[in-house]
């Protein structure tokens, strides 16, 4: 058995069984990882409220037989201010889906982690489509899909950035429509 203490942001989650969840967390130390959270959907669970989507958490896990299981959680930032309007929630889901689809597992990118933290911290202050567009462009540049951040030098027209992302993930994004 191997124990680890990490910090990260929950970017995806799936229900498993009646009271369990399977979480996708983007961490500073290991990049995107998948973690099994046992009993967090139970009414008696103290960890359930801390494991909301887009929460910035410190957590401990243990690994046994290639399965990582969450043991304890400390909430650093729930980003509750960013979850107050429908437009912000739509942008949150688009940010989470982009990071989940474009980053491989166990490949740490400290720049992507910092971009994600900054984007979630400032989302409520910048309620514009331009903010999400700049996030997409910077993420693609950090992951090596764009050669430059300057307009006209990326090789892709700015109005076709979403179409370019769709070709990278081989399907349209689920959260494409953003309500403002």
């Amino acid at each position: 058995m191997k124990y680890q203490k990490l910090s990260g942001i929950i970017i995806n989650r799936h229900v498993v069984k009646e009271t369990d969840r399977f979480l996708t967390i983007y961490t500073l130390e290991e990049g995107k990882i998948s973690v099994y959270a046992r009993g967090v959907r139970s009414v008696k669970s103290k960890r359930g409220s801390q494991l909301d989507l887009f929460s910035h958490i410190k957590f401990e896990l243990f690994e046994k037989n290639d399965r990582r299981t969450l043991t304890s959680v400390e909430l650093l930032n729930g980003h509750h201010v960013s979850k107050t309007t429908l437009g912000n929630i739509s942008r949150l889901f688009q940010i989470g889906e982009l990071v989940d689809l474009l980053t491989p597992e166990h490949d740490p990118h400290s720049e992507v982690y910092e971009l994600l933290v900054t984007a979630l911290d400032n989302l409520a202050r910048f309620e514009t489509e331009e903010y999400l567009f700049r996030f997409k462009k910077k993420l693609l540049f950090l992951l090596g899909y764009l050669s430059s951040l300057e307009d006209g030098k990326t090789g892709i027209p700015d109005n076709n950035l979403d179409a370019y992302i769709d070709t990278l993930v081989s399907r349209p994004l689920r959260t494409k429509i953003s309500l403002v």
Side-chain angles (χ1 to χ4, degrees):
M1 267 196 274
K2 178 179 162 185
Y3 288 91
Q4 289 181 299
K5 290 183 181 183
L6 304 169
S7 63
I9 297 174
I10 301 170
I11 57 174
N12 202 349
R13 66 182 181 186
H14 302 285
V15 174
V16 180
K17 297 185 183 176
E18 194 172 307
T19 60
D20 304 339
R21 276 204 175 117
F22 199 68
L23 305 172
T24 303
I25 304 174
Y26 198 85
T27 66
L28 176 62
E29 300 87 354
E30 292 195 26
K32 183 172 74 170
I33 62 170
S34 298
V35 176
Y36 187 72
R38 181 172 283 134
V40 295
R41 294 187 65 229
S42 170
V43 176
K44 298 178 184 178
S45 175
K46 296 177 184 176
R47 299 178 295 163
S49 62
Q50 298 172 338
L51 297 176
D52 196 17
L53 278 172
F54 313 111
S55 293
H56 191 186
I57 58 172
K58 248 185 204 181
F59 59 99
E60 294 180 14
L61 56 88
F62 73 90
E63 184 175 353
K64 182 179 180 182
N65 300 335
D66 293 332
R67 179 183 234 179
R68 293 177 163 193
T69 304
L70 191 75
T71 57
S72 68
V73 178
E74 177 189 342
L75 183 64
L76 299 176
N77 188 347
H79 297 103
H80 299 296
V81 176
S82 297
K83 299 174 185 175
T84 55
T85 66
L86 189 57
N88 280 350
I89 292 169
S90 176
R91 283 187 280 281
L92 279 172
F93 276 96
Q94 211 172 67
I95 287 170
E97 185 178 12
L98 283 169
V99 172
D100 191 18
L101 290 175
L102 293 174
T103 57
E105 286 216 11
H106 306 291
D107 187 17
H109 281 279
S110 59
E111 300 91 2
V112 173
Y113 180 80
E114 292 301 323
L115 176 68
L116 183 59
V117 170
T118 304
L120 295 179
D121 286 344
N122 295 318
L123 188 67
R125 293 186 329 158
F126 302 104
E127 296 186 10
T128 64
E129 286 297 317
E130 177 66 24
Y131 187 73
L132 185 60
F133 176 76
R134 286 188 315 225
F135 172 83
K136 290 177 186 179
K137 205 170 176 182
K138 179 90 184 234
L139 179 66
L140 290 174
F141 174 73
L142 291 174
L143 293 174
Y145 294 113
L146 291 181
S147 58
S148 173
L149 285 175
E150 296 179 34
D151 291 338
K153 295 185 180 180
T154 61
I156 299 157
D158 289 342
N159 58 353
N160 286 339
L161 191 62
D162 286 334
Y164 179 63
I165 291 171
D166 289 347
T167 62
L168 291 175
V169 297
S170 70
R171 66 168 177 82
L173 293 176
R174 290 183 185 146
T175 55
K176 183 169 261 189
I177 299 170
S178 179
L179 303 172
V180 180

